[in-house]
Amino acid sequence: MTVAPLPSPAPGLGQALRMGARAIWRLEHAFERARAANRPADDTRLRIFFILALFVCVFAALAYEATRAALFSPVGEDVYAAPPPLVVRADLTDRNGELLAADITHYGLYLDPKDVWDPDQTRAALLKAYPKLARERLDRALAGKRREYLAGGLDAAEREAIHDLGLPGVQFEEEARRDYPLGQTGAHLIGYADPSGKGLAGAERGLDGAIHAAAARSEPVALAMDLRVQSALDDELRRAVSTFSAVGGAGLVVDVQTGEILALSSWPAFDPNAPGAAPQNLVANRPYELGSVFKVFTLAVALDQGLATLDSTFDVRMPLQIGDARPIHDHEKGDTVLTLAQVFTHSSNIGAAKLALRAGPAVMGDYFHRLGLFGAAPSELAESARPLVPRQLSELTLANIAFGQGISVTPLALATGMTAVLNGGRYIPLTIRKLGPGQAPQGRRVISEATSRTMLDLMRRNVVEGSGKQVEKLAPGLRVGGKTGSAQKVENGRYGANNVSSFAAVFPTDGPADAKRYFVLITLDSPKATKDTYGFITAGWNAAPTAGRVIDRVAPFLGVARRAGPALDAAPAASPAGTGMHD
Amino acid sequence: MTTTHPFARTDQSRFGVWWWTTDRLLMSAVAALIVLGVLLSFASSPAAAARIGIADPFHFALRQCLYAAAGAAILLSVSMLSPRGVRRAAFFIYGASILVMIALPFLGHAAKGADRWLQIAGFTLQPSEFMKPALIVLASWMFAEAQKGQGVPGVSIAFGLYAVAVVLLLLQPDVGQTVLITTAFGAAFFMAGVPIRWILGLGGGAVSGFVLIYLTFGHVAARMHKFLSPDKTDTLQVDKAGEAIAAGGLFGRGPGEGLMKRHVPDLHTDFIFAVAGEEYGLLFLLLLIGLLGFVVIRGLYKAMRLNDPFEQIASAGLFVLVGLQTFINIAMVLKMIPTKGMTLPFISYGGSSMLASALTLAMALALTRRRPGAYAPAAEGFGPSAAALP
């Protein structure tokens, strides 16, 4: 097309409009001409067909893409995956991975009265399917306007029974609940947590932070406990308390070299699934006057200070009179002069008191302090209680604590001190957590390795020829050493007829200072005499045999082999004839 | 035995004529789409209502029923019009829409960052939705007039109508609708017989126009960036839509079992396709695509066989409008193109969308009705001869 020559320059609006109009006219005619020239009549049809074909392709593409998206695309996991189980607290296991406590998803039952169709039917059906439901609560919720919480802790079967009723307005929400599959076994060591996930007792309380942290990592928390040892200890302690009609009992098994608590028992026990008013943890929470087991400490101090040797002699003919206090007697009558070893095996109060007086209050106080006997046992267990100790160490109090009177410590504190005496002389806080290889603390030195060795021999000798004789029969070949302790129990402010009987045992006593060794403590509160004890209530007749049975049962689990042979490995067998049961 | 059909073939009443002349296959497909839209609104309504905080879970579903009824009424009444009546209706609707769009900034109801909605008695209407089919009909009329060469500057008028509409849309701003009407208008112009040289020129203009829009409007640029680099930006709706369809698989998760509708906003409107896929599965999606595709392709086929250029271009343009809107919506959900605010005709929740889709289809049905001489002879190979009708 030819472009019309532009009009002579006379710029203005009118001219611009005219120019625009002419341009449009040309455009319109171009369209018209193009339309008219050499076009078949159905040109528009052809073009519509072109677009139709295009849309066939478009819809085919949509169908293809939809198929790809629906069948060949990854499904987002986050929305469609089943929600992860509600875990607030990590699993607790024993040292071998046996499950002690776990969060299991339970369900809370809710009622929204707005959605309820038939209140009477809902009420009847709910009570039939779940009889534990509180009637008044249900009635209040049905009469109310807001969504109400009816009950918690429904397990999956209970939830299903209610859910299957198909009642409108009845709803469930997941809630984590702590489950203790073992029930009473190890209850005081494991402890328990409240429904909100807060640890209230035992390891659940002591390791609360670690348990929450481990839950975030989905890892279990392993206790030092060995479930096999724990159940044997639980069993024997329960039987002892029952046999001797005791008020209560405490038991401990500790790895002497690492300080790991392999078992901890307190009777009466409880079920952590329904703790209610759980009975006291007698191991960690109850200070007792533990009596002659303290002679282990007194002799260790004297030997470590070089104040006496095993052959030093002590005149025990006369009761020891300090000031105008009650004189200190020995239980064994007729002894005259005893060696230091016999002071231990005869359990001479006079001998122990004399040793303490020889050491003096400063040295004794220093050692007892470093053995942890003047403070609460350092432990993860929050129950660990402070001892009752003399306000000041006078001659009299010093002489008394030498044989375990006038000082009350928890069995846990006693065990911690004993461990230090028996492991080569290092004070290590006992732990309820499993320690990995190389994690065992070195501890701080309290007595020398040589003193520790001597004490092991003395304790072994006491079992062979002293107050622990019953043990040797019950746990043959396990080289058990031990010391009894029978303290008159303070009742209503004065010493009464009942006593607290303990046996502190260690096995095996042979081998080098760092050999595998286990400490076992049994304490019985107010045991009664039976036919078999010939009327005695002293530890040699109740706590010691109990410890012997425990040792006999757990030694195989702990890898301690029985060994036949001479009763005493190293200690000189200077045994006077006719020694009976000492205390 | 005598059949007592409700409308005898000889029924000369207005409705009787309508029944025998309207394409009943198209009509049935549209009716099916409306029913499916209502069905889906019952699935998505509770989640949408809960998220917004409306107490009645079926707030949206009941409204969709109302819209569906109104849409059916529009379909019925408008499809009875003659081609001349369609032109008149388009003229008034276009004029009214443009006036309302001009007035929108003053009396409009701003929602989600754009002045698009007009609030009337508790309902919101989007006038631009109604302007689209009216513009296509008027533009087709003008192209047809221009073809005749009787001195009507049709092309210029058509472009003028288009320019007014686009300027008003860009002022809102509504880029999605702009792209839609530009493409549909271009398709109408193409079908009217524009020379290929012109197409190249106009194509270049469209591309540069789009670049200009891209540079001018922030949210368009943002959407483009999202689409081009999905890792870097938040594409929650599209991602969740994809996951929903994938989760649905072949048969779906079951009615009411969809989860995405609870997590993602606007799934009951622009992303209804994803809700459908999650709950009813791929087979249902293919049914939707098939129904919409059938409407568009059969519509274009009918348009192709019409004789009158105006009827050809206008009806084809209207079906293109439906097809484009379908394509943009579904392709957006399937991540084939960037996200746009575009509803799925008849299926998405919303009064404007439903009524405008009904209007579009109604006008298209009116134009494709059988009338004496309307179709090329080949088209009358079966059925009653057109001459039998007065």
Side-chain angles (χ1 to χ4, degrees):
Chain A
M1 77 186 95
T2 51
V3 176
L6 286 172
S8 52
L13 185 63
Q15 200 161 15
L17 277 177
R18 266 200 303 283
M19 270 173 62
R22 203 173 302 144
I24 287 171
W25 191 244
R26 273 206 307 278
L27 221 91
E28 293 288 345
H29 276 283
F31 180 68
E32 184 195 320
R33 275 198 306 278
R35 179 84 191 114
N38 65 39
R39 291 281 181 279
D42 52 359
D43 178 53
T44 296
R45 290 205 174 114
L46 203 66
R47 289 176 180 231
I48 293 178
F49 181 77
F50 174 71
I51 290 196
L52 186 154
L54 215 59
F55 268 108
V56 169
C57 298
V58 161
F59 278 97
L62 288 182
Y64 169 77
E65 280 292 324
T67 307
R68 213 171 54 96
L71 301 185
F72 304 104
S73 301
V75 178
E77 296 298 331
D78 50 339
V79 178
Y80 293 99
L86 208 54
V87 171
V88 178
R89 302 179 66 79
D91 290 355
L92 278 184
T93 70
D94 84 338
R95 64 186 306 109
N96 301 316
E98 296 290 339
L99 190 65
L100 304 178
D103 271 8
I104 307 279
T105 301
H106 281 62
Y107 301 89
L109 177 63
Y110 293 79
L111 184 92
D112 192 343
K114 277 204 305 292
D115 293 344
V116 171
W117 288 358
D118 184 343
D120 292 334
Q121 188 218 341
T122 301
R123 184 176 183 282
L126 268 182
L127 286 173
K128 184 156 179 263
Y130 191 60
K132 281 191 259 178
L133 196 56
R135 253 159 222 277
E136 319 79 62
R137 202 165 193 172
L138 175 59
D139 289 339
R140 224 179 312 128
L142 280 168
K145 289 199 167 76
R146 279 204 336 255
R147 182 170 184 260
E148 294 280 358
Y149 178 75
L150 289 184
L154 279 73
D155 62 27
E158 290 169 329
R159 176 193 174 276
E160 201 180 327
I162 299 174
H163 180 264
D164 287 354
L165 298 172
L167 296 170
V170 175
Q171 301 159 358
F172 301 92
E173 266 179 34
E174 288 190 353
E175 54 188 33
R177 211 187 69 167
R178 202 62 164 161
D179 211 79
Y180 302 94
L182 302 178
Q184 286 193 345
T185 303
H188 275 105
L189 180 50
I190 298 166
Y192 56 92
D194 72 6
S196 75
K198 183 169 168 250
L200 293 184
E204 290 275 45
R205 179 173 174 190
L207 305 178
D208 202 37
I211 289 170
H212 279 291
R217 300 190 306 268
S218 306
E219 285 172 6
V221 171
L223 297 189
M225 179 205 282
D226 185 323
L227 186 52
R228 303 166 300 181
V229 178
Q230 176 70 48
S231 56
L233 179 66
D234 277 346
D235 187 36
E236 292 298 341
L237 187 70
R238 189 192 66 229
R239 195 176 313 184
V241 169
S242 153
T243 303
F244 304 112
S245 311
V247 172
L252 260 179
V253 179
V254 175
D255 183 322
V256 165
Q257 301 298 353
T258 63
E260 289 170 288
I261 296 177
L262 302 177
L264 182 155
S265 271
S266 173
W267 195 267
F270 64 100
D271 182 354
N273 292 303
Q280 190 180 24
N281 183 339
L282 301 181
V283 177
N285 200 231
R286 176 76 153 87
Y288 286 110
E289 282 194 15
L290 290 168
S292 299
V293 287
F294 265 66
K295 286 172 187 155
V296 172
F297 301 126
T298 307
L299 263 74
V301 173
L303 288 167
D304 204 51
Q305 282 289 304
L307 302 174
T309 65
L310 287 180
D311 299 325
S312 307
T313 53
F314 296 84
D315 185 347
V316 297
R317 274 172 297 193
M318 297 295 291
L320 187 62
Q321 182 72 44
I322 298 170
D324 52 2
R326 248 172 43 162
I328 295 168
H329 291 278
D330 275 4
H331 299 280
E332 189 81 16
K333 308 301 175 193
D335 281 343
T336 51
V337 175
L338 298 176
T339 62
L340 186 68
Q342 287 169 326
V343 167
F344 192 72
T345 54
H346 289 215
S347 199
S348 165
N349 291 347
I350 298 170
K354 283 186 169 172
L355 271 177
L357 293 172
R358 197 180 285 183
V363 170
M364 281 292 281
D366 178 48
Y367 270 94
F368 272 39
H369 181 74
R370 288 194 287 138
L371 285 164
L373 299 169
F374 286 168
S379 168
E380 293 101 341
L381 294 171
E383 290 90 342
S384 179
R386 298 178 58 78
L388 303 171
V389 298
R391 217 165 289 149
Q392 60 180 28
L393 287 181
S394 65
E395 276 202 343
L396 180 64
T397 54
L398 193 61
N400 278 334
I401 66 172
F403 55 93
Q405 210 172 57
I407 180 169
S408 297
V409 302
T410 61
L412 185 65
L414 180 94
T416 314
M418 285 282 183
T419 305
V421 172
L422 301 173
N423 69 6
R426 297 167 295 118
Y427 182 84
I428 306 169
L430 302 188
T431 180
I432 59 173
R433 287 197 81 164
K434 180 184 182 181
L435 299 177
Q439 277 186 345
Q442 272 308 298
R444 86 186 129 73
R445 181 151 296 282
V446 184
I447 60 169
S448 70
E449 211 174 292
T451 308
S452 176
R453 179 69 256 167
T454 309
M455 291 312 299
L456 281 167
D457 293 339
L458 271 177
M459 286 175 80
R460 172 69 187 139
R461 193 158 155 184
N462 188 44
V463 165
V464 174
E465 58 185 42
S467 56
K469 270 185 186 158
Q470 297 258 11
V471 175
E472 191 60 13
K473 282 180 231 151
L474 290 164
L478 292 171
R479 291 94 73 207
V480 183
K483 180 74 192 83
T484 48
S486 305
Q488 275 181 293
K489 195 179 173 189
V490 181
E491 282 162 323
N492 303 320
R494 34 196 304 202
Y495 290 108
N498 285 319
N499 75 7
V500 174
S501 303
S502 304
F503 192 71
V506 59
F507 75 100
T509 48
D510 55 343
D514 61 352
K516 270 281 164 205
R517 243 184 272 289
Y518 300 93
F519 173 75
V520 175
L521 176 68
I522 297 290
T523 296
L524 297 173
D525 184 347
S526 312
K528 307 296 183 296
T530 71
K531 191 159 60 67
D532 293 333
T533 66
Y534 306 102
F536 290 106
I537 58 169
T538 46
W541 292 101
N542 44 47
T546 306
R549 285 192 190 93
V550 171
I551 290 167
D552 191 53
R553 280 178 69 171
V554 305
F557 301 132
L558 299 174
V560 179
R562 291 178 206 279
R563 198 180 294 160
L568 283 179
D569 301 323
S575 165
T579 32
M581 284 291 179
H582 297 277
D583 180 77
Chain B
M1 183 175 173
T2 48
T3 48
T4 52
H5 198 277
F7 320 114
R9 189 61 62 93
T10 51
D11 188 343
Q12 294 301 306
S13 75
R14 203 172 152 78
F15 195 77
V17 170
W18 174 84
W19 177 257
W20 288 115
T21 57
T22 307
D23 189 294
R24 284 194 294 282
L25 283 175
L26 276 177
M27 204 65 183
S28 315
V30 170
L33 283 169
I34 292 176
V35 170
L36 292 180
V38 169
L39 179 85
L40 282 174
S41 75
F42 273 91
S44 60
S45 175
R51 210 182 40 248
I52 298 177
I54 295 172
D56 176 14
F58 294 106
H59 171 88
F60 292 111
L62 295 175
R63 285 180 159 231
Q64 185 72 356
C65 291
L66 208 63
Y67 300 147
I74 287 182
L75 262 175
L76 210 62
S77 54
V78 175
S79 63
M80 286 182 180
L81 295 175
S82 64
R84 177 193 290 255
V86 169
R87 280 204 297 260
R88 282 185 189 152
F91 180 78
F92 286 114
I93 290 168
Y94 178 83
S97 302
I98 291 295
L99 285 179
V100 174
M101 282 165 76
I102 291 171
L104 263 189
F106 310 106
L107 45 82
H109 167 64
K112 297 167 196 167
D115 280 330
R116 292 179 197 174
W117 286 272
L118 178 69
Q119 199 151 26
I120 302 166
F123 291 89
T124 50
L125 281 181
Q126 197 177 346
S128 56
E129 288 272 6
F130 300 93
M131 180 274 290
K132 286 183 294 184
L135 170 69
I136 294 301
V137 170
L138 290 183
S140 305
W141 182 21
M142 287 301 113
F143 289 141
E145 286 301 316
Q147 277 184 17
K148 293 179 188 163
Q150 292 169 346
V152 180
V155 177
S156 309
I157 295 172
F159 271 88
L161 296 171
Y162 163 75
V164 171
V166 164
V167 167
L168 287 172
L169 280 177
L170 288 180
L171 281 177
Q172 286 184 351
D174 191 341
V175 176
Q177 300 280 24
T178 307
V179 171
L180 179 65
I181 67 160
T182 302
T183 317
F185 179 82
F189 194 30
F190 166 78
M191 291 184 291
V194 62
I196 300 300
R197 279 184 298 142
W198 287 36
I199 291 175
L200 296 178
L202 285 171
V207 168
S208 44
F210 185 74
V211 170
L212 197 70
I213 286 172
Y214 173 80
L215 294 176
T216 318
F217 293 93
H219 73 281
V220 180
R223 281 183 181 182
M224 281 297 293
H225 283 302
K226 267 185 199 174
F227 181 72
L228 293 176
S229 51
D231 300 337
K232 290 176 191 154
T233 43
D234 175 40
T235 54
L236 177 81
Q237 280 181 323
V238 178
D239 289 346
K240 292 296 172 190
E243 283 179 30
I245 292 172
L250 192 57
F251 298 108
R253 295 176 58 83
E257 295 296 317
L259 295 178
M260 286 303 172
K261 60 189 183 187
R262 301 185 201 288
H263 299 299
V264 187
D266 276 347
L267 279 203
H268 63 306
T269 58
D270 292 358
F271 285 84
I272 189 76
F273 192 72
V275 174
E278 188 180 21
E279 300 200 352
Y280 300 95
L282 174 65
L283 294 180
F284 185 80
L285 294 186
L286 293 179
L287 174 70
L288 279 183
I289 293 173
L291 277 173
L292 284 159
F294 173 79
V295 166
V296 172
I297 286 158
R298 178 165 176 88
L300 286 172
Y301 175 70
K302 299 275 290 187
M304 189 176 84
R305 288 175 22 209
L306 282 166
N307 282 331
D308 181 71
F310 159 67
E311 291 169 16
Q312 276 183 320
I313 302 166
S315 57
L318 290 171
F319 285 116
V320 164
L321 197 60
V322 173
L324 273 176
Q325 196 166 334
T326 303
F327 166 72
I328 291 174
N329 180 277
I330 295 180
M332 163 188 86
V333 174
L334 295 175
K335 288 198 227 186
M336 297 159 74
I337 58 167
T339 312
K340 281 198 177 48
M342 186 73 63
T343 54
L344 189 58
F346 299 110
I347 304 294
S348 285
Y349 170 80
S352 300
S353 169
M354 171 64 79
L355 299 186
S357 302
L359 178 68
T360 309
L361 251 296
M363 293 202 290
L365 284 173
L367 293 170
T368 52
R369 273 166 63 194
R370 274 198 300 268
R371 289 174 303 277
Y375 284 96
E380 305 301 329
F382 62 93
S385 95
L389 292 170

